[in-house]
Amino acid sequence: MKLLFILLVTQFSYSEIKVNNFNFIEGEYQLVKGDLPCIDGYVGWMEGQDSLSFMLGFNIIISNINEGKIVSKDRTVEDCKFDSTSKISKNIIESVENTICSNSTIKKIQNIKISRKNELLYTLKVYNDNKVVRDTKCVYKKQN
Amino acid sequence: MYRHLSHFLLLLLIIPKLCFADNEFPDIEYTVHIDRTLYSEPGYDYSTYVTKKRNGHKNLPSRKWATPGMHLQLIESKVTEDGQMYAHVQDTDNPKNKGWLKYNHLYYYENGIRVQCDPNTKNQTKTIAEIIAHIEKNEYKSPPLTNSFSALGADCSDYIDDNGNYGDRGKLLAKEILGEGRSTDRWEYFKQGSRNLSSVCPNFNNLNDEEKLNFWIWTFAAIAWDEGKCISNIARSDATNGLAVSDFQLPENWKSGRSWRGPGCNANGRAPAVNIRRRRYGNFLMANPSNSIPCAVEIMSGSLCGFYSYKKWPLTCDPVEKTKGFTGKHIYWEKMKHNDAKFVKMIKEFPLCK
């Protein structure tokens, strides 16, 4: 019974987040401006995942939304640490990832916004020790 | 409540496939939905039964025991003199109910899709078992790889060696493609190919199943050469979407890269990786070929079956979308999005494509 209650509360809070904080139409989107990692594809919530996750084409997925700072438990590369923070607020999904290796820090910042024309705007900035090494902007339009 | 739960669990046990139960295919319980009530002896089809009944035949077999939706288990199968195949089946809920049904009146469900039992499919399934047995014994031959696969110092012989034998990775690929591994069984989609495959391999539709298997292993070897020079544990952190590992350059990140693609992309057991300078570079799941190969096959078969169908979540195979083809925007491997990639040229070198 408790489990059912928790499940219902979780589902309710997910729905609330979707409705109140990021209003868009799920489905197939076409890339109208920009380049990789942006590609045409499905845009929407990845229901059934163990955290709130959003897919923007098959290359861009933001997970663990509104769960605070997530620190990777597994050290996949020696002497490196990995953490990420993702959140939704005011129709913006923002994700910040840090990969800290022995002598450098790579910061990856992603933003997804909804424009007035109901297009989706994606920005990606990658910093290597505070120096911008990648700056990408993409615009997606819903396919009919 | 517990009784309902036990019924549910029982159903889960009963539902799985399939249609065959001889020595090579041990008894498998399966769900069968029958269009109409049938008869119970080999050689009698429905019309024969009706004719005999109308003629007042006295020794007619019972034809009332099988009802639509009944769960049946195959006991044996026979082919009659006129070439018809019949299945001797038994009601799993009431084993006293058993009899013979025409093979192609049986159905089972796979991934929610109704599949009609087909005597030819039975033969095909046997061929898969035979192919795998041959592969295990190194009795299975492929055309040897062309010189392109050894360009830039690459060694792809772990896929197919100079004598046309499969190496360890080739054998693993074969099992996965044939639907006998960890990835979703989409052998049917591999056999069908796709709309624009004919531009890469004009003769594909004329190949038999074994030759098609050879073609796909050749194709995966071409991708492995193009993406990672057949180095199974190569890792790059500058890939399109973060860390990509193996000669198929697969996403190491579980949540964003693999969790949603299918069972082939689940992984266990890390292996040491190297960077492009061949220097030691961490331990990764996808650096282990027993993880990367099922995932690569899962992704490729997903592209062929229309899994990357764009429309709605959860993603599923979409028979319409699969016409998007062998190359195109929906393909995972970046270079495959464009039909003019180097690897396409390598695929065209498969001798049986010409």
Side-chain angles (χ1 to χ4, degrees):
Chain A
M1 197 63 190
K2 275 183 182 174
L3 196 66
L4 185 66
F5 177 74
I6 291 167
L7 186 73
L8 285 173
V9 168
T10 314
Q11 288 303 312
F12 176 73
S13 58
Y14 275 19
S15 308
E16 197 177 42
I17 287 164
K18 285 179 218 172
V19 172
N20 293 339
N21 290 330
F22 203 73
N23 297 310
F24 76 106
I25 303 165
E26 177 200 51
E28 178 180 358
Y29 278 70
Q30 187 184 8
L31 183 66
V32 290
K33 190 181 173 187
D35 207 336
L36 287 171
C38 307
I39 54 170
D40 297 349
Y42 170 78
V43 174
W45 301 103
M46 299 167 71
E47 290 179 21
Q49 298 282 298
D50 58 3
S51 73
L52 186 61
S53 303
F54 188 81
M55 177 181 275
L56 181 66
F58 300 113
N59 281 343
I60 300 164
I61 292 161
I62 296 177
S63 310
N64 299 104
I65 297 172
N66 289 351
E67 290 181 16
K69 188 174 178 179
I70 305 291
V71 179
S72 174
K73 290 174 186 171
D74 300 316
R75 285 177 57 186
T76 52
V77 182
E78 282 79 358
D79 303 323
C80 290
K81 290 177 183 172
F82 176 84
D83 68 69
S84 67
T85 310
S86 307
K87 62 181 180 181
I88 307 178
S89 61
K90 297 175 186 172
N91 265 344
I92 298 174
I93 298 177
E94 184 184 41
S95 162
V96 179
E97 294 174 17
N98 291 303
T99 305
I100 305 161
C101 294
S102 52
N103 53 2
S104 73
T105 301
I106 296 172
K107 185 186 282 283
K108 180 178 172 185
I109 301 175
Q110 298 176 93
N111 270 293
I112 305 171
K113 296 180 189 175
I114 304 167
S115 78
R116 288 178 185 171
K117 295 178 188 171
N118 270 335
E119 291 172 331
L120 289 175
L121 312 175
Y122 171 80
T123 58
L124 164 69
K125 273 197 173 181
V126 180
Y127 299 85
N128 191 343
D129 291 333
N130 297 321
K131 183 183 170 189
V132 178
V133 291
R134 187 166 187 182
D135 189 353
T136 303
K137 289 176 184 167
C138 300
V139 181
Y140 295 81
K141 195 175 179 180
K142 175 87 171 60
Q143 288 273 69
N144 294 322
Chain B
M1 182 174 169
Y2 287 111
R3 209 178 68 180
H4 289 305
L5 188 62
S6 64
H7 284 174
F8 177 69
L9 288 172
L10 187 65
L11 270 177
L12 279 181
L13 289 172
I14 287 172
I15 280 172
K17 51 185 178 176
L18 204 53
C19 313
F20 317 113
D22 50 26
N23 289 336
E24 287 166 81
F25 304 94
D27 290 350
I28 301 169
E29 290 178 330
Y30 60 108
T31 304
V32 175
H33 291 253
I34 302 159
D35 282 337
R36 59 191 183 194
T37 306
L38 294 165
Y39 61 99
S40 64
E41 279 189 355
Y44 283 32
D45 63 17
Y46 184 74
S47 58
T48 306
Y49 177 89
V50 172
T51 307
K52 289 201 172 194
K53 191 177 181 186
R54 282 179 185 157
N55 292 340
H57 203 285
K58 288 181 181 175
N59 296 319
L60 284 172
S62 166
R63 55 177 281 262
K64 299 263 178 160
W65 68 272
T67 53
M70 189 178 272
H71 296 145
L72 301 171
Q73 183 180 27
L74 192 80
I75 301 167
E76 62 174 320
S77 59
K78 284 182 180 175
V79 179
T80 56
E81 287 179 3
D82 61 353
Q84 296 283 346
M85 182 173 280
Y86 290 86
H88 192 200
V89 290
Q90 186 173 39
D91 181 356
T92 56
D93 300 319
N94 185 358
K96 286 182 181 174
N97 288 334
K98 55 183 172 182
W100 289 87
L101 302 178
K102 208 167 184 178
Y103 222 80
N104 57 8
H105 288 156
L106 304 177
Y107 301 88
Y108 63 96
Y109 282 81
E110 188 169 292
N111 297 329
I113 297 168
R114 197 176 92 157
V115 181
Q116 187 174 19
C117 293
D118 175 359
N120 297 324
T121 308
K122 178 182 167 67
N123 294 336
Q124 179 51 46
T125 307
K126 279 190 170 179
T127 306
I128 288 174
E130 286 166 5
I131 291 171
I132 288 174
H134 287 166
I135 289 169
E136 299 285 356
K137 294 174 188 171
N138 286 327
E139 294 171 354
Y140 195 72
K141 293 278 183 183
S142 160
L145 295 175
T146 49
N147 291 338
S148 304
F149 288 80
S150 51
L152 302 176
D155 178 4
C156 300
S157 61
D158 204 22
Y159 290 103
I160 302 168
D161 71 15
D162 291 344
N163 299 316
N165 294 314
Y166 288 141
D168 288 343
R169 280 186 273 167
K171 288 175 183 173
L172 193 52
L173 261 175
K175 279 188 182 175
E176 292 293 336
I177 293 167
L178 290 166
E180 299 290 322
R182 190 198 298 166
S183 56
T184 307
D185 179 1
R186 295 193 182 123
W187 173 226
E188 288 301 318
Y189 289 104
F190 279 110
K191 281 196 293 182
Q192 286 169 23
S194 68
R195 184 187 55 183
N196 58 358
L197 186 56
S198 58
S199 66
V200 179
C201 184
N203 198 37
F204 181 82
N205 289 334
N206 298 323
L207 302 181
N208 64 34
D209 290 351
E210 294 176 1
E211 291 165 339
K212 284 179 180 174
L213 175 65
N214 284 336
F215 167 82
W216 283 112
I217 292 172
W218 182 289
T219 297
F220 276 102
I223 297 170
W225 183 90
D226 206 32
E227 293 283 336
K229 300 299 167 282
C230 296
I231 301 166
S232 66
N233 62 344
I234 194 163
R236 298 186 66 144
S237 58
D238 59 347
T240 302
N241 191 27
L243 185 63
V245 185
S246 96
D247 43 0
F248 297 111
Q249 288 292 279
L250 299 169
E252 179 68 10
N253 189 307
W254 164 244
K255 274 199 174 174
S256 63
R258 293 185 283 110
S259 62
W260 50 278
R261 293 186 187 273
C265 289
N266 295 341
N268 286 301
R270 295 169 194 273
V274 294
N275 63 16
I276 50 171
R277 293 176 183 169
R278 309 273 183 109
R279 289 184 184 151
R280 182 81 166 75
Y281 187 65
N283 294 305
F284 300 115
L285 292 164
M286 288 296 122
N288 184 345
S290 65
N291 292 326
S292 62
I293 285 176
C295 190
V297 172
E298 185 84 42
I299 291 172
M300 174 64 88
S301 69
S303 301
L304 294 173
C305 82
F307 179 82
Y308 300 96
S309 61
Y310 304 170
K311 300 276 192 307
K312 60 181 179 180
W313 191 267
L315 305 177
T316 53
C317 288
D318 182 334
V320 176
E321 293 293 334
K322 77 174 182 174
T323 57
K324 283 182 179 295
F326 174 60
T327 53
K329 287 179 178 177
H330 63 296
I331 297 284
Y332 171 79
W333 292 280
E334 189 53 40
K335 294 170 186 174
M336 281 182 76
K337 294 181 193 296
H338 313 292
N339 210 10
D340 56 352
K342 161 81 174 165
F343 96 98
V344 172
K345 182 173 167 286
M346 294 169 78
I347 294 171
K348 286 179 176 175
E349 290 174 359
F350 182 64
L352 304 178
C353 279
K354 296 162 189 168

